[in-house]
Amino acid sequence: MTSRFQILWALIILGCLPIARADENSDREEQLPPLMHVHAHNDYVHHRPLFDALDHGIASVEADIWLVDGQLLVAHDRDKVNPALTLQSLYLDPLRARAKKFGGRIYPNGDPTFYLLIDTKSDANETWAALRKVLESYSDLITKFDGKKVTHKAVTVVLTGHRPRDLLPKEPVRLAGLDGQMPDLDKPNPNGIFLWMSEDWKRFFKWRGKGPIPDDEKARLLDVVAKAHERNMKVRFWDSPESTNFWHELRSDGVDLLNVDNLAGAEKFLRQEPDPASK
């Protein structure tokens, strides 16, 4: 007689029963190392903000925020804000829960660093004043910068968009770093205030990922990467193509973070692509 197990297994193979998708209760994240070279662009627009990225092992996510009536609300446009979708509820609270689950890390294996890129859409200084207070209440979770001393925690916050460029460098102890731009590569990086360098790919490069990258553009890209790394800044380009040929070139040239909307495609690529540093 056919066992119940055999029947269930046959139904799964035939596609009659759904296979459970990895989520916050799955142990998939304990089996695969996190992907440290991909950034979930506008992560909050995905079906399950944060958790879709975690399902794919991604260790960097982006949240746009607006300061509205004292609350930090996550949305791309001001008219799309929802009082229930706060930075805390969508990102900080579930990240804190995971850090507690995995002994102070977002992923239990691999590099401990998880990046939360916060893109400020409202006034830089007013929003930072509110955001600082929120981050202080998550001091157990957030990396701290005290001059040149860095106390690494589960989540490192990077500020982009309307950045508090004047205020943040004056704070002796910080719970965030800044996302720099191309002009910042020609300046010093005091106390590592700039953690990243992010720019619009299409503003500086004409290559769209088809065929080989032109020699002059490759040389320019390598120069950008070298300058950023000399200043301990990671490199990311937004508004960039999403293709394996494009991703392969950027990884080969030392770009640290692939900016993606296609989370599944990026995971498949990076799980199969050997690390250029190992070549």
Side-chain angles (χ1 to χ4, degrees):
M1 181 180 292
T2 303
S3 69
R4 179 181 296 180
F5 173 81
Q6 289 172 317
I7 293 172
L8 289 173
W9 183 245
L11 288 172
I12 289 174
I13 293 175
L14 293 173
C16 298
L17 288 179
I19 299 176
R21 186 179 172 203
D23 61 15
E24 59 268 40
N25 297 315
S26 171
D27 62 356
R28 182 176 185 268
E29 65 267 27
E30 299 185 42
Q31 301 169 3
L32 294 173
L35 301 172
M36 304 308 300
H37 299 288
V38 60
H39 171 74
H41 173 244
N42 289 348
D43 176 80
Y44 52 90
V45 302
H46 290 285
H47 179 63
R48 296 161 63 246
L50 178 63
F51 289 107
D52 280 350
L54 293 173
D55 281 353
H56 292 291
I58 292 171
S60 180
V61 298
E62 179 177 343
D64 292 4
I65 62 169
W66 294 85
L67 179 63
V68 181
D69 297 329
Q71 295 294 312
L72 299 174
L73 305 183
V74 178
H76 188 272
D77 301 309
R78 175 64 176 80
D79 60 356
K80 300 294 193 304
V81 299
N82 182 334
L85 303 181
T86 66
L87 182 66
Q88 297 94 310
S89 64
L90 280 185
Y91 290 94
L92 294 175
D93 287 340
L95 286 171
R96 173 183 268 169
R98 280 187 59 109
K100 289 181 178 179
K101 177 182 178 181
F102 294 133
R105 295 186 176 194
I106 301 305
Y107 291 101
N109 46 22
D111 193 301
T113 303
F114 184 95
Y115 286 100
L116 176 58
L117 179 68
I118 299 178
D119 187 340
T120 302
K121 297 297 186 180
S122 44
D123 179 81
N125 293 346
E126 291 181 2
T127 307
W128 171 240
L131 177 58
R132 186 204 299 112
K133 292 180 181 179
V134 168
L135 295 180
E136 287 173 351
S137 66
Y138 290 84
S139 59
D140 59 307
L141 179 71
I142 306 297
T143 295
K144 181 176 70 174
F145 301 86
D146 185 354
K148 294 184 178 180
K149 179 183 177 182
V150 182
T151 303
H152 290 283
K153 297 291 182 70
V155 176
T156 297
V157 173
V158 184
L159 305 179
T160 192
H162 295 163
R163 309 158 176 85
R165 280 178 171 266
D166 296 327
L167 292 182
L168 195 63
K170 297 177 182 178
E171 298 186 4
V173 178
R174 299 179 281 109
L175 292 176
L178 291 176
D179 185 21
Q181 295 173 289
M182 202 71 81
D184 295 309
L185 296 182
D186 295 320
K187 305 173 185 176
N189 187 15
N191 293 333
I193 187 75
F194 292 107
L195 301 180
W196 291 10
M197 190 294 303
S198 297
E199 274 291 5
D200 181 350
W201 175 265
K202 293 179 180 178
R203 180 183 174 191
F204 294 94
F205 299 93
K206 295 181 180 179
W207 184 62
R208 299 294 181 260
K210 294 183 179 180
I213 186 172
D215 290 343
D216 61 330
E217 296 207 352
K218 185 180 181 73
R220 189 186 313 150
L221 178 59
L222 290 172
D223 182 60
V224 168
V225 170
K227 285 183 176 181
H229 289 175
E230 286 174 3
R231 292 159 176 77
N232 295 316
M233 298 161 66
K234 293 185 179 296
V235 177
R236 175 183 73 104
F237 290 98
W238 49 273
D239 195 20
S240 55
E242 294 196 37
S243 69
T244 56
N245 191 50
F246 182 81
W247 290 338
H248 176 78
E249 181 63 43
L250 264 62
R251 289 288 296 122
S252 297
D253 295 335
V255 173
D256 302 279
L257 293 159
L258 303 178
N259 191 78
V260 305
D261 296 299
N262 180 3
L263 306 183
E267 180 187 13
K268 180 180 180 181
F269 168 76
L270 286 171
R271 296 282 183 215
Q272 297 174 349
E273 179 81 356
D275 187 342
S278 65
K279 295 180 180 180

